[in-house]
Amino acid sequence: MTVPAKKSIERGETRFLVVCLNPTMQKTLVFNCLALNEVNRVVEQRLDASGKGVNVTRVLTQLGEDAVHLTHLGGDEGQLFERLCRDDALSLEVVRCESPPRTCTTLVDRSASTTTEIVEPTEPVQAGTENAVVERFRSLLPAVHTLIISGTTAPGYTVDLYAGMIAAARQAGVYVIADFRGAMLKRALRNDPGLRPNMIKPNLQEFVETFLPGAGVTGGVTVSEHTDDPEILEEVRRRMTELAREGLTTVITRGANPALAVDREDPETPVECEPLPLTPVNTIGCGDAFTAGLGAELARGGTLHDAIEQGHVAAAMNAALLKPGAIRP
């Protein structure tokens, strides 16, 4: 599968618009050995602008692509977020609001090579923010080749928001990759066939939560993205094939396990692609790095298989760094 040719791109470059409406300050704490119910001393720490959209934008930028990130920002934390993005040479389009970025904390245990993520809640955006975001989005769309929508939104946005963005993008001839889950994704897939995403790229856990509710749930905990349960994987492949027959390409990441894909151009031939073997430093942002590598290769005219391989390369480069959502320090 290749991305169809479309209008020429501003400055002769492939341009990406990355939308994420849940900006995040990512605090990373490193421990030689992390022990529960004990005093743990941090041996290294860092603070980065993050969230799925920033991670995708940063990796695209580091891959040499022309990428713009659209988000909302508020408060003193929003100003710090912008400064950290400028330090990374990221291009931002910001809608001002009163909702600051949330803070997420990563606990890296060097002895066990594990990464634990603590996610704080997000403050709601105020009335009027969504209309301002849509207006800014529409102003950016004419120069865009590929739209990537990443992650859930902060509270205060409507369930129809992403569906409307995707429909507008498809009408403008823009290729759309959707990397979000749940009700907003299902709403986007109720668009007319020509106004749906070209591709969805959840991880396994997100796909199961969205399309196979109740599958693999034990004690209220849903299936892990790392599962190799054959019954669950068989159900996932079956649903991916159904989506491909409906005109939707699906790529699912599974952590250190092979990525799964079904191309809408060949619904009866599921694809598996092994990630690169490595001992990770920090796995936060690996899925976003994968999305960036995948999208960049598709925009350059690569096949789906080549794009997945490039996604794995970017994810491996991200995992080798302490900085989240990056392929170089």
Side-chain angles (χ1 to χ4, degrees):
M1 180 188 68
T2 58
V3 178
K6 65 179 295 294
K7 57 185 179 293
S8 60
I9 306 304
E10 186 179 8
R11 296 187 301 279
E13 297 175 324
T14 297
R15 185 171 186 179
F16 290 82
L17 176 60
V18 183
V19 176
C20 178
L21 301 172
N22 205 354
T24 300
M25 298 297 300
Q26 193 78 37
K27 188 174 186 179
T28 304
L29 306 178
V30 182
F31 305 85
N32 285 330
C33 182
L34 183 63
L36 294 177
N37 298 318
E38 299 290 347
V39 175
N40 291 273
R41 299 192 181 279
V42 174
V43 297
E44 189 175 351
Q45 63 182 343
R46 63 177 303 123
L47 182 68
D48 295 281
S50 190
K52 293 177 70 67
V54 165
N55 295 342
V56 172
T57 304
R58 184 159 46 225
V59 174
L60 282 170
T61 301
Q62 292 175 348
L63 286 169
E65 300 292 344
D66 181 20
V68 175
H69 178 49
L70 172 62
T71 192
H72 67 257
L73 287 173
D76 293 339
E77 297 93 337
Q79 295 180 23
L80 175 58
F81 184 97
E82 283 192 81
R83 181 176 66 78
L84 291 172
C85 286
R86 287 197 300 271
D87 290 346
D88 285 337
L90 303 186
S91 178
L92 285 185
E93 287 285 338
V94 174
V95 171
R96 303 294 171 187
C97 69
E98 297 175 5
S99 176
R102 66 178 176 178
T103 298
C104 293
T105 304
T106 304
L107 310 179
V108 177
D109 184 343
R110 285 178 172 166
S111 66
S113 296
T114 59
T115 303
T116 302
E117 181 76 350
I118 300 171
V119 179
E120 297 183 12
T122 307
E123 292 186 20
V125 296
Q126 72 268 29
T129 303
E130 179 166 328
N131 288 339
V133 166
V134 171
E135 182 177 350
R136 187 72 62 86
F137 171 81
R138 289 185 176 275
S139 74
L140 296 167
L141 201 54
V144 173
H145 177 278
T146 299
L147 169 66
I148 299 176
I149 302 182
S150 291
T152 56
T153 62
Y157 289 105
T158 68
V159 72
D160 295 323
L161 173 61
Y162 283 167
M165 286 183 167
I166 291 167
R170 291 299 310 278
Q171 286 175 327
V174 174
Y175 190 86
V176 179
I177 300 173
D179 186 7
F180 55 97
R181 59 181 170 83
M184 294 189 82
L185 178 56
K186 288 193 283 189
R187 171 62 189 86
L189 297 185
R190 290 202 299 270
N191 285 354
D192 291 339
L195 304 180
R196 297 170 187 163
N198 298 85
M199 173 185 290
I200 61 171
K201 196 253 92 189
N203 66 33
L204 182 66
Q205 183 183 61
E206 293 164 340
F207 185 89
V208 170
E209 287 179 354
T210 302
F211 296 104
L212 303 170
V217 175
T218 304
V221 178
T222 191
V223 61
S224 165
E225 69 173 296
H226 306 284
T227 188
D228 56 3
D229 185 311
E231 292 185 6
I232 291 175
L233 294 178
E234 182 62 29
E235 278 297 294
V236 167
R237 292 187 182 96
R238 179 191 61 77
R239 186 69 181 102
M240 292 172 71
T241 297
E242 290 176 353
L243 291 171
R245 290 170 181 161
E246 297 168 8
L248 182 70
T249 295
T250 303
V251 177
I252 298 177
T253 53
R254 301 171 55 217
N257 294 317
L260 305 177
V262 179
D263 192 337
R264 63 183 180 181
E265 295 180 4
D266 189 5
E268 311 308 320
T269 310
V271 174
E272 293 194 17
C273 188
E274 293 277 353
L276 301 179
L278 55 83
T279 300
V281 174
N282 183 5
T283 58
I284 299 302
C286 282
D288 307 321
F290 180 98
T291 300
L294 175 86
E297 182 64 21
L298 287 174
R300 294 166 183 165
T303 66
L304 179 61
H305 187 272
D306 288 344
I308 293 172
E309 287 192 336
Q310 290 307 306
H312 279 319
V313 170
M317 294 172 72
N318 176 86
L321 300 175
L322 185 60
K323 183 172 184 171
I327 57 174
R328 65 170 184 257

